[in-house]
Amino acid sequence: MAEQAAYWFPAKTYGWGWGLPTVWQGWATLAVALALFVLGSAVIAPRVDPLLYGLYMLAIAAALLAVCMAKGAPTTWRWGEK
């Protein structure tokens, strides 16, 4: 069995945050989050209930951020390769 990468999401080279996933678990997490964003847009009409829609989207974004913080490389502000 091949050795898995330590982090699902690598730190960005420039700025703060994480880049695209490097392992299948990261891609699956990103796909689920995107599917939940689309599903929420289809189920919760933003014009009918904007507060519920906003809270739903905020919850999905917070969950994705939590996964990135738990499974991603430690991140700080970066100015490129050293």
Side-chain angles (χ1 to χ4, degrees), residues 15-80:
W16 185 89
W18 300 273
L20 290 175
T22 56
V23 295
W24 71 267
Q25 293 94 333
W27 284 107
T29 301
L30 189 59
V32 167
L34 291 175
L36 288 173
F37 280 127
V38 170
L39 181 66
S41 296
V43 173
I44 304 169
R47 290 181 188 232
V48 174
D49 198 349
L51 180 62
L52 180 61
Y53 178 76
L55 290 174
Y56 176 82
M57 293 297 166
L58 187 63
I60 300 304
L64 182 58
L65 180 63
V67 171
C68 286
M69 291 177 79
K71 296 295 185 176
T75 185
T76 60
W77 189 265
R78 299 174 190 267
W79 292 101

